[in-house]
Amino acid sequence: MLSDSEAAELVSFLTLGTRADVKGQVTEYILGLSGHRDGCRFLHSKPDLLVALFTLTSDPSVAIVKDCYHILINLSADETLHQVLVADVKVLPVLLKNLMDPEYLFSDQICTILTNLSRHEKTCKTVLKVLQEEVGLAQLVEIFCTEGYNKRAKLHYLGPLLSNLTQLPEARNYMMDKDRCVVQRLLSFTQYQASAVRRGGVIGTLRNCCFDYVHHEWLLSDAVDILPFLLLPLAGPEELSEEENDGLPVDLQYLPEDKKRDEDPDIRKMLVETLLLLTATKTGRQTLKDKNVYPIMREFHRWEKDVYVAAACEKLVQVLIGDEPEQGMENLMEVEIPEDVEVKLKEADAKEQEELEKEQEKRQEEEEEEEEKKNSDAERTDREQESGLIQ
């Protein structure tokens, strides 16, 4: 690794006035350093180098700016560098200002950096604070919902950024402010086919919002009508009885034969978990039962191959077909669990997770064997056909 004097020499080259070829060599070298843990640890101890590097995000050379942003993406992926980047380098105001520019070339890289920096609660609080001071969460949501806002960037990673921000109560409160109509604007993105990143970010945001059970009744009401947007990506082409169809929300009735479910298992799992959160209150459980959610989840469970998603679905189905909790325990999020019971529940969860991992590995092996068999059969058929043609 570099000595202090060598690092200081590097810093001297990281200026806007330095020749482009020299700067390019230095940024390329630092990019290599940022690609592994030891290099990140070294850069962590050199905030002056990072400050100098960050100034080059306004360099006239596109190649140098691109290197700088890739370095920042690598560094922001390392949690130990978050405070250095936010407090010492002070990246947030400049990044947010550039993000607002509809012509800015590197907005996608900025979205990735902000998403990385907001993963953990401590830095997430700082990101939200500076965001509110510099731009405002309202403007961020506006940009996210305006497709084509930046013709040079897709901005899909604003989805995971919103999801990270809503781990904080203040961000969730904004999203569910009844006078702002924010959460309603996000709902259509649960079926956004152009990007699983954007789609998953929105569903993660909705899931986080559902942790606040006081809003469940409003989310399920006609004012928001969240339920169809959570169920449609899980619904398939299976034919339901007339009675079952008639009990469903209108958007889920008599779906076409080519209806497909969301292809991403992580997204399907988040959707099921969001529905499960909505069953924490008596009102939520009753609404999901009244809206006939069970047939959709029954068919979904029959179709689902991922063991983790299937396990989450089973928990939801148990609630939908089970009896109501006894009086005083209607709100499952308010139930106080004795410490000894909590320990046993955690042990049971760990055991269940272990069993699911084994089951998933077994299924993957079976699928690989099946694929090998298909390939082998296809090769044999090709050989037989070739042999027949030669004869």
Side-chain angles (χ1 to χ4, degrees):
M1 212 56 73
L2 297 176
S3 66
D4 288 346
S5 60
E6 287 170 330
E9 188 177 2
L10 276 189
V11 173
S12 70
F13 293 127
L14 294 173
T15 66
L16 294 172
T18 304
R19 270 174 33 204
D21 59 329
V22 175
K23 279 185 291 192
Q25 288 180 345
V26 175
T27 55
E28 192 176 329
Y29 173 74
I30 297 172
L31 179 58
L33 275 181
S34 71
H36 56 86
R37 186 175 291 274
D38 289 341
C40 285
R41 295 294 184 270
F42 170 75
L43 293 170
H44 179 281
S45 66
K46 304 295 178 201
D48 54 334
L49 192 153
L50 297 180
V51 170
L53 184 80
F54 188 57
T55 62
L56 294 186
T57 55
S58 59
D59 196 87
S61 165
V62 171
I64 287 170
V65 176
K66 186 177 181 181
D67 275 354
C68 290
Y69 275 115
H70 283 164
I71 292 165
L72 290 167
I73 288 171
N74 288 346
L75 297 179
S76 63
D78 187 330
E79 186 191 352
T80 63
L81 276 135
H82 285 186
Q83 284 304 307
V84 174
L85 292 171
V86 168
D88 298 335
V89 186
K90 295 181 172 57
V91 300
L92 293 175
V94 176
L95 293 180
L96 290 166
K97 178 176 176 291
N98 290 337
L99 180 61
M100 294 302 109
D101 181 355
E103 299 291 327
Y104 197 66
L105 182 60
F106 296 99
S107 288
D108 279 336
Q109 287 84 345
I110 289 174
C111 291
T112 304
I113 294 163
L114 292 173
T115 297
N116 285 344
L117 290 174
S118 59
R119 278 199 184 120
H120 302 281
E121 187 178 355
K122 184 179 179 183
T123 321
C124 186
K125 287 180 177 178
T126 309
V127 172
L128 181 61
K129 180 176 180 293
V130 178
L131 172 67
Q132 292 289 56
E133 291 168 354
E134 299 288 330
V135 176
L137 195 49
Q139 184 62 20
L140 192 71
V141 172
E142 181 65 32
I143 289 172
F144 179 76
C145 293
T146 306
E147 281 201 76
Y149 174 84
N150 186 328
K151 298 290 189 297
R152 310 172 85 180
K154 293 185 164 83
L155 305 181
H156 293 324
Y157 272 88
L158 284 180
L161 174 59
L162 289 173
S163 179
N164 289 347
L165 291 172
T166 51
Q167 69 182 292
L168 304 175
E170 49 266 51
R172 294 198 297 272
N173 288 339
Y174 170 80
M175 290 288 177
M176 293 186 285
D177 185 330
K178 295 176 183 178
D179 297 324
R180 292 182 187 270
C181 196
V182 179
V183 74
Q184 292 94 323
R185 297 186 68 186
L186 299 178
L187 294 175
S188 63
F189 290 103
T190 61
Q191 296 178 84
Y192 186 84
Q193 293 305 308
S195 169
V197 171
R198 181 179 285 252
R199 194 167 74 247
V202 165
I203 291 164
T205 301
L206 296 176
R207 182 184 61 175
N208 287 345
C209 288
C210 287
F211 276 101
D212 293 340
Y213 63 83
V214 294
H215 296 291
H216 283 186
E217 189 170 354
W218 176 69
L219 288 169
L220 289 164
S221 73
D222 291 341
V224 180
D225 198 22
I226 194 175
L227 197 54
F229 295 95
L230 299 176
L231 286 174
L232 267 170
L234 300 175
E238 294 83 8
E239 191 173 332
L240 303 178
S241 70
E242 189 173 337
E243 184 182 353
E244 287 173 336
N245 266 304
D246 290 346
L248 286 166
V250 174
D251 291 341
L252 283 116
Q253 293 179 7
Y254 303 99
L255 295 174
E257 292 179 2
D258 60 350
K259 172 68 175 71
K260 289 182 169 58
R261 294 180 169 92
D262 197 295
E263 62 187 24
D264 190 312
D266 291 329
I267 289 178
R268 295 197 301 272
K269 186 167 181 281
M270 280 195 291
L271 287 162
V272 176
E273 288 169 347
T274 307
L275 290 166
L276 189 58
L277 284 169
L278 289 169
T279 64
T281 59
K282 185 174 183 178
T283 302
R285 288 189 295 276
Q286 195 57 53
T287 302
L288 265 65
K289 289 175 182 178
D290 290 345
K291 297 287 186 180
N292 220 19
V293 170
Y294 171 69
I296 296 289
M297 300 316 299
R298 179 192 68 209
E299 298 303 320
F300 172 73
H301 185 263
R302 287 174 180 166
W303 171 88
E304 183 58 67
K305 298 292 187 291
D306 187 282
V307 296
Y308 299 105
V309 186
C313 181
E314 285 162 16
K315 290 176 184 175
L316 174 60
V317 168
Q318 284 171 9
V319 176
L320 293 175
I321 64 176
D323 296 330
E324 270 294 301
E326 60 187 71
Q327 193 171 357
M329 299 181 72
E330 293 93 340
N331 188 330
L332 303 180
M333 286 187 175
E334 286 187 332
V335 175
E336 289 188 15
I337 302 172
E339 194 173 328
D340 59 325
V341 175
E342 190 171 355
V343 170
K344 288 178 182 176
L345 287 172
K346 285 180 179 176
E347 288 173 355
D349 283 344
K351 187 177 179 182
E352 181 189 31
Q353 190 68 17
E354 191 178 323
E355 289 171 355
L356 288 173
E357 286 173 8
K358 288 178 182 176
E359 178 64 24
Q360 186 76 340
E361 286 174 9
K362 183 182 173 185
R363 286 196 184 186
Q364 284 174 347
E365 287 173 5
E366 289 173 352
E367 286 172 7
E368 286 169 7
E369 287 174 7
E370 184 66 27
E371 189 65 28
E372 284 177 13
K373 186 176 182 300
K374 281 181 185 176
N375 292 337
S376 176
D377 290 346
E379 286 175 12
R380 188 170 64 250
T381 302
D382 289 343
R383 284 197 302 272
E384 288 171 354
Q385 287 176 343
E386 188 178 328
S387 175
L389 287 170
I390 291 170
Q391 290 173 359

